[in-house]
Amino acid sequence: MSAPLTFTGKVVVVTGAGGGLGREYALAFGERGASVVVNDLGGDIKGGGKSSAAADKVVEEIKSKGGKAVANYDSVEDGEKVIQTALDAFGRIVLVSFISDLIHRVHLRGSFMVTRAAWNHMKNQKFGRIIMTSSAAGIYGNFGQANYSAAKLGLVGLANTLAIEGQKNNIHCNTIAPMAGSRLTQTVMPQDLSESLKAEYVAPLVLWLSHDQCQENGGLFEVGAGWIGKLRWERSQGCIVRQKNQAMSPEAVRDQWDHICDFTNATKPSTINGSLATLVEVLSRVETEEGVAPNPARGAAGAPAAVGRRLPEMTFSYSHMQCILYALGVGMSTRENDHLKFLYEGHEDFCVLPTFGVIPSLGSLMDGGLGSLPGLNIDFTRLLHGEQYLEVFKPLPTSGKCATIADVLDKGSGAVILLDVHTYSGKELLCYNQFSLFIVGAGGFGGRRTSDKAVVTGSLLTTPTNSRSFRNSTTTLHGAALYRLSGDWNPLHIDPSFAAMGGFKAPILHGLCSFGFAARHVLKQYADNDVSRFKSIKVRFVKPVLPGQSLQTEMWKEGNRVHIECKVKETGAVVLSGAYVDLHATTGDAWTPLDLGKVDALKSELVFAEIGRRIKDLGAEMVKKVNAVFGWEITKGGNTVAQWTIDLKTGNGALHQGPYSGKPDVTFTVSDEDFMAVAQGQLNPQKAARLESAETAVTVSLPNT
């Protein structure tokens, strides 16, 4: 059970705390150790009168329970006096503001005045929490409450800006719209309902948002009756209703009104940069496109229809210059002697880094190929690179290529596009790329969430017992500027203003640049920079890297697969996860996988991953019951493509890729497809496997996955 939240050492100012919600907040903070300033003018529901009785009574309640509290009777318009009471009594402040007095003068201006008085104190102590109280009337409007609604929605705007300005000093500001019985609801709400909507059902949210563990900032929450919900803005895809060099008319607005108001695949902007990004795109499209263009923000409504479509074929030519630029872009240096063969065209072993194979495929993205398909409208300002797979079949001479939409998945908050790109030289297949691209805000079209066409990321099958290897490289401050010369011209990596529109403080390094760093680390560690050993690589991009940061690649080898995790050394943040590099076996290896030119990952790997986890948890018990070693040969097209050993005879059990060092008790030869059918209970294992054992009858039982 989690530890209870406490506020010991914290100072809280609660305005309007003489009754209702404010009183409930003050009592709750007092019970949990906070020093509380109970502010209340003591007026009636119309703002008349003034009395210290309400605030004094709450102070006495807090003190009677062993808490610390002082009263303040000033109007919130005199915010300096309210805050000074806290400083005089307790020396510091964290603010919780609940306003229940006159309309504009107090609701909006009062909140501003109290916050302004506390702001510099919060900045100096690098901590503050501000809770604004809006209402449903402000969010949605309500008959007969125009002035009240305007003030309450004004508080939301004030809170949003304070959240942005305070973030760097650990000052968080959130807004709640509570529904609870109070003096203000007495005349508009039935008494029994007012009594049921207790203030105590709101206070826990206020306490959580005020706690230093809570990192929520800029949120808007409705709360009442024990229920809490978060609100956000939603915007339709909209429509461009003007043409280049032509006037915009009200008739064009009328004719496109249905498109303007269509919330299919609506976006959810959360920052002003997100709002401006769409306008920047509109200006660009008006300059380059003729005619009224519906749905400019480009959703994924037609995504399913795009599956299987082939993009226009493109040609890519390169010389030694592009190869050298790429090698420099991923950190190769003349300081290292064994890097020279990637940097000097006159070297006797001059060759291309295998991950250069991603560069020819970039045209399918950067040259507009992906956005040219009917039925697949994409807002490229919302595109994130999620995962990447590359498999290399041949060296990389001048080449052409073709690209196909393998699948489009609906992830709710966005859409995932699986883009398959095959690169050829003439009719010879050189390499295969699969891009996994996430389009923010383009989900919700009712599509599938998963695809069997996706190349899966890797996971360690057992806890590594062999030593882990580490390699470090420091990126340069101009690394992104250099890497983009290889063909990834996205301004996110060079233009500070464009990066800011994407929510980044500065231009970030290309994900495929980090991808290249990690791949060359593996190539050096396990293949002595022999590019002929490189077979394939798969990564998931997790977090961005800033130019100048150091990359550390941690590596474990299982059979011919090297699992990798790449981190920013300075922060420890993981930037590449679920990643692996598959190497071709050397002549001396016990087993050499057959390169069939296949681009699909083996489905059986998922089952063996689960078996490895089961052995890790229950291995000792399984060894006692089974006491046998099982060898597995997985085939595809009649050829053995993988071998596995399940050792349930020694120690706590083990799983490893490759053949058993001795003679297994039973060896199974089964196709990858049949193996999955057995694991799922769709096929009898004795019908699927050829048993190569001295025993005449063997009963085979697979773990239930």
Side-chain angles (χ1 to χ4, degrees), residues 626-642:
V626 179
N627 192 33
V629 176
F630 302 95
W632 289 88
E633 295 180 352
I634 305 300
T635 67
K636 219 172 187 182
N639 297 285
T640 299
V641 293

Side-chain angles (χ1 to χ4, degrees), residues 50 193 250 256-257 388 431 438 532 609:
K50 184 173 182 179
L193 179 58
Q256 297 296 333
W257 193 245
Q388 182 72 29
C431 63
F438 186 79
S532 68

